[in-house]
């Protein structure tokens, strides 16, 4: 199977509210030879405010966010088209599962496209950082590293690339970071060729769940306070190994005294499960966790000292004592329900509902997507009347407002403009970036001599900030009469 290594740059770090403004992707064959590359950048949509910090990090100056050839809608369309052309493939980036993947899903969702392209339709996803951390847990000298400010090996992409002989001065542009990821992964693949396919087998949720359900014990790796560790774990009983609410796999650390834990009453078990470090661990099957052969953890302490006989006995106890696993799941269920009860009861905005808003109505509208994107803007507006999901209607109106506002009836145009104005001109602390939050952030960067990002001089930084500040002032002016 082919690989697609990719990276994005955004205008913010807030998942539900960030805008993808640049993407770089490289298609590789099964031997990691490059076949094709893709790079695109877009103008900022006119219905949102960027974060000054994010624009400083990826050096998206005022010209880049206003004068690009592509609108945001056009760029997202190109990304979907290219990724479909390259499918089926294994998609991965550096620390992508928690950020890039989530942004892409939301961008597709808000652009009336299927959100889960890179892990459906024959595709799978993985995360380069998961692989790199596992490689270091097995061999701490696998790649050259430098120490970070806390005295631990730096796992930053730029640092790993530079220390291992790759030119890294262009870091934080999407395609350049993609190239660095390919180079670091390629070196790792070469040095640990015997483990490469072991790392990648967990790109599939089904494979992960089968391993948890069927294996007696195996090795996982986790990173604590900047250090990578191997753990020997045993899954809960085959009938009760999934979290009762979140459906993630549950395992126990075999360094724990399973014999004594199984004697505890339910209330005492509940107390024990709150203690740190926890004797149980969660494996998120849909997030490409690394699961390796048991022998890797058996070679390290404390498992080496405990001995294989006792470890085997503990693993058997997990397989045979269903009540213990059921009790663990009961505790987890109570905790999850308590968390849900105490979580915020406020109404969510449509942009925040990719997971919570349900898919029944959404799925009924999916057959309309292709016609929407192949029609002209007037036809698209009429087609929105056929959509059942109110969120998608809102997103559709937003797309038209940004792409072809002149075709909107006056009442709809004014309604959309008022909604945007209410959002971006708010003086409250909001979940999204507002004009006032941007100005405060911009002033702080301007006055803080330590915040230089990759600017070479103070004058360069100030000129950059003046440009993006003018951009936001124009936005403010545009919506002040809404």
């Amino acid at each position: 199977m082919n690989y697609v290594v990719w990276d994005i740059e955004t205008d913010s770090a807030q998942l539900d509210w960030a805008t993808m403004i640049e993407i770089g992707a490289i298609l590789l064959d099964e031997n990691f030879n490059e076949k094709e590359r893709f790079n695109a950048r877009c103008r900022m949509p006119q219905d949102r405010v960027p974060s000054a910090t994010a624009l400083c990090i990826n050096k998206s100056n005022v010209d880049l966010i206003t004068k690009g050839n592509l609108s945001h809608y056009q760029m997202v369309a190109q990304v979907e088209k290219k990724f479909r052309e390259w499918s089926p493939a294994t998609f991965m980036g550096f620390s992508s599962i928690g950020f890039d993947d989530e942004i892409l899903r939301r961008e597709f969702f808000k652009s009336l496209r299927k959100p889960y392209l890179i892990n459906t339709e024959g595709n799978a996803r993985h995360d380069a950082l998961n692989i790199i951390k596992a490689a270091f847990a097995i061999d701490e000298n696998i790649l050259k590293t430098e120490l970070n400010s806390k005295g631990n090996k730096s796992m930053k992409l730029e640092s790993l690339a530079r220390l291992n002989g790759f030119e890294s001065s262009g870091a934080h542009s999407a395609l350049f970071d993609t190239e660095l990821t390919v180079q670091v992964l390629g070196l790792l693949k070469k040095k640990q060729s015997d483990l490469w396919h072991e790392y990648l087998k967990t790109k599939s949720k089904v494979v992960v769940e089968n391993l948890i359900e069927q294996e007696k014990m195996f090795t996982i790796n986790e990173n604590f306070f900047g250090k990578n560790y191997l753990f020997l774990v045993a899954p809960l009983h085959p009938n009760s190994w999934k979290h009762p609410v979140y459906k993630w796999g549950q395992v126990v650390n075999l360094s724990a005294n399973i014999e004594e834990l199984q004697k505890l009453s339910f209330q005492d078990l509940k107390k024990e499960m709150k203690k740190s470090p926890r004797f149980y661990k969660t494996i998120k099957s849909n997030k490409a966790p690394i699961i390796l052969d048991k022998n890797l953890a058996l070679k390290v302490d404390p498992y080496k000292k405990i001995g294989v006989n006792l470890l085997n006995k503990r693993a058997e106890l997990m397989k045979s004592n269903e009540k213990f696993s059921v009790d663990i799941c009961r505790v987890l269920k109570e905790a999850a329900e308590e968390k849900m009860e105490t979580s915020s009861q406020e109404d969510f905005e449509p942009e925040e509902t990719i997971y919570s808003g349900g898919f029944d109505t959404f799925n009924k509208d999916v057959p309309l997507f292709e016609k929407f994107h192949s029609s002209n803007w007037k036809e698209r507006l009429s087609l929105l009347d056929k959509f059942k999901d109110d969120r998608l209607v809102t997103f559709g109106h937003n797309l038209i407002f940004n792409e072809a506002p002149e075709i909107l009836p006056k009442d709809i145009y004014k309604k959309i403009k008022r909604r945007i104005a209410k959002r971006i001109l708010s003086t409250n602390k909001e979940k999204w970036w507002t004009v006032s939050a941007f100005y405060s952030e911009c002033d702080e960067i301007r006055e803080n001599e330590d915040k230089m990002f990759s600017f070479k001089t103070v004058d360069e930084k100030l000129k950059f900030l003046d440009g993006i500040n003018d951009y936001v002032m124009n936005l403010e002016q545009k919506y002040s009469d809404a």
Side-chain angles (χ1 to χ4, degrees):
M1 184 186 266
N2 291 332
Y3 301 98
V4 175
V5 179
W6 65 294
D7 182 72
I8 60 171
E9 299 297 338
T10 64
D11 74 330
S12 158
Q14 297 157 298
L15 290 181
D16 291 318
W17 303 101
T19 306
M20 178 171 66
I21 53 178
E22 186 187 11
I23 183 166
I26 296 176
L27 175 67
L28 304 152
D29 67 17
E30 59 186 14
N31 297 313
F32 242 57
N33 298 311
E34 184 174 328
K35 295 171 76 173
E36 193 184 339
R37 56 177 53 198
F38 170 73
N39 188 213
R41 179 179 262 283
C42 69
R43 305 184 295 275
M44 276 287 297
Q46 288 286 292
D47 58 354
R48 61 202 80 176
V49 177
S51 151
T53 300
L55 297 186
C56 287
I57 289 170
N58 54 52
K59 296 197 100 169
S60 295
N61 62 29
V62 65
D63 285 348
L64 286 173
I65 61 175
T66 58
K67 296 179 181 176
N69 292 330
L70 297 174
S71 69
H72 180 256
Y73 173 79
Q74 289 167 334
M75 185 184 78
V76 173
Q78 283 195 10
V79 174
E80 185 190 43
K81 182 171 181 279
K82 183 56 68 178
F83 280 8
R84 284 196 184 282
E85 273 175 30
W86 287 353
S87 301
T90 298
F91 288 79
M92 57 183 167
F94 192 91
S95 196
S96 54
I97 279 183
F99 189 75
D100 304 55
D101 292 18
E102 292 295 334
I103 297 295
L104 187 71
R105 284 178 175 182
R106 285 160 174 78
E107 292 288 36
F108 282 173
F109 175 54
K110 292 182 275 191
S111 297
L112 311 192
R113 303 173 193 280
K114 291 182 184 177
Y116 299 100
L117 174 61
I118 65 171
N119 65 311
T120 58
E121 300 179 34
N123 295 316
R125 63 181 189 147
H126 215 300
D127 194 312
L129 186 56
N130 289 3
I131 293 170
I132 289 164
K133 284 179 176 177
F136 272 100
I138 291 163
D139 177 1
E140 61 177 20
N141 298 310
I142 186 68
L143 298 176
K144 291 176 186 170
T145 55
E146 62 188 348
L147 298 181
N148 60 25
S149 57
K150 293 181 178 173
N152 297 318
K153 290 176 185 290
S154 173
M155 294 287 124
K156 288 191 173 174
L157 177 60
E158 183 279 330
S159 170
L160 286 170
R162 174 168 40 82
L163 267 288
N164 288 280
F166 304 117
E167 170 56 42
S168 65
S169 56
H172 289 306
S173 78
L175 189 59
F176 196 86
D177 282 358
T178 301
E179 288 174 355
L180 295 186
T181 306
V182 169
Q183 288 165 334
V184 171
L185 279 179
L187 183 57
L188 200 59
K189 185 175 185 289
K190 193 175 171 184
K191 289 191 165 194
Q192 288 187 339
S193 55
D194 55 330
L195 286 165
W196 179 254
H197 289 292
E198 286 294 298
Y199 294 147
L200 283 171
K201 72 185 177 190
T202 50
K203 65 189 180 184
S204 158
K205 177 185 175 183
V206 174
V207 170
V208 175
E209 292 188 338
N210 285 342
L211 282 167
I212 298 170
E213 195 169 3
Q214 293 165 16
E215 292 294 320
K216 189 166 120 180
M217 55 182 167
F218 48 76
T219 299
I220 62 170
N221 87 286
E222 288 186 359
N223 182 283
F224 291 107
F225 306 109
K227 288 188 168 61
N228 297 295
Y229 299 95
L230 296 177
F231 294 94
L232 186 67
V233 297
L236 268 55
H237 190 277
N239 295 337
S240 306
W241 57 270
K242 272 188 184 180
H243 191 292
V245 176
Y246 307 126
K247 306 304 177 190
W248 292 324
Q250 302 299 315
V251 297
V252 296
N253 185 350
L254 288 175
S255 65
N257 190 332
I258 306 299
E259 302 90 327
E260 293 304 313
L261 287 169
Q262 290 191 347
K263 293 175 187 172
L264 296 175
S265 66
F266 180 73
Q267 289 305 322
D268 286 341
L269 177 63
K270 206 170 171 179
K271 288 176 193 165
E272 196 65 33
M273 286 177 68
K274 287 180 179 173
K275 291 180 183 175
S276 185
R278 290 178 173 168
F279 71 83
Y280 67 95
K281 294 182 177 295
T282 296
I283 297 179
K284 297 181 180 180
S285 51
N286 60 341
K287 296 189 183 292
I290 302 291
I291 295 178
L292 300 166
D293 189 271
K294 63 185 178 186
N295 291 319
L296 286 162
L298 284 169
K299 293 174 188 170
V300 299
D301 287 331
Y303 311 103
K304 192 164 66 173
K305 282 180 185 165
I306 295 169
V308 72
N309 291 337
L310 181 51
L311 293 167
N312 265 319
K313 183 186 169 192
R314 288 176 177 174
E316 284 293 343
L317 284 171
M318 291 308 303
K319 284 283 185 209
S320 58
N321 188 338
E322 187 174 356
K323 181 186 178 298
F324 181 59
S325 293
V326 169
D327 284 348
I328 288 175
C329 288
R330 270 181 66 200
V331 175
L332 294 171
K333 187 177 184 208
E334 284 182 14
E337 287 172 348
E338 196 177 310
K339 188 178 176 185
M340 285 189 277
E341 281 171 17
T342 56
S343 65
S344 171
Q345 297 301 309
E346 66 184 295
D347 291 334
F348 289 113
E349 298 290 327
E351 291 88 344
E352 300 172 290
T353 62
I354 185 166
Y355 299 125
S356 61
F359 275 92
D360 290 345
T361 316
F362 176 91
N363 288 333
K364 286 174 187 167
D365 288 341
V366 167
L368 295 169
F369 288 178
E370 196 173 326
K371 190 173 182 190
F372 180 89
H373 295 303
S374 61
S375 301
N376 64 43
W377 285 107
K378 275 192 176 176
E379 290 166 343
R380 287 169 182 162
L381 179 62
S382 301
L383 194 61
L384 288 177
D385 291 336
K386 295 184 178 178
F387 279 72
K388 303 279 189 293
D389 192 322
D390 290 340
R391 299 171 300 173
L392 297 178
V393 176
T394 299
F395 298 150
H397 282 149
N398 289 349
L399 293 173
I400 297 169
F401 182 86
N402 274 298
E403 295 292 316
E406 67 281 356
I407 66 115
L408 286 168
K410 276 188 180 175
D411 59 330
I412 294 179
Y413 178 85
K414 283 181 179 175
K415 186 181 171 188
I416 296 169
K417 191 174 179 183
R418 278 197 298 271
R419 189 179 71 235
I420 296 166
K422 187 181 175 187
R423 251 187 209 174
I424 70 172
L425 301 180
S426 168
T427 52
N428 300 326
K429 184 170 172 52
E430 303 287 4
K431 293 171 278 191
W432 52 84
W433 283 102
T434 62
V435 167
S436 63
F438 173 90
Y439 290 150
S440 300
E441 184 191 21
C442 214
D443 289 343
E444 189 193 342
I445 296 170
R446 194 179 274 116
E447 292 159 16
N448 191 332
E449 292 176 10
D450 294 332
K451 289 197 172 183
M452 283 302 290
F453 303 97
S454 58
F455 297 113
K456 292 182 176 67
T457 64
V458 172
D459 282 349
E460 184 192 356
K461 178 176 89 167
L462 295 178
K463 187 181 176 186
F464 179 96
L465 292 171
D466 287 345
I468 59 173
N469 195 78
D470 287 347
Y471 170 78
V472 172
M473 282 177 71
N474 288 333
L475 262 189
E476 182 181 24
Q477 197 171 356
K478 176 177 178 173
Y479 290 100
S480 58
D481 64 345

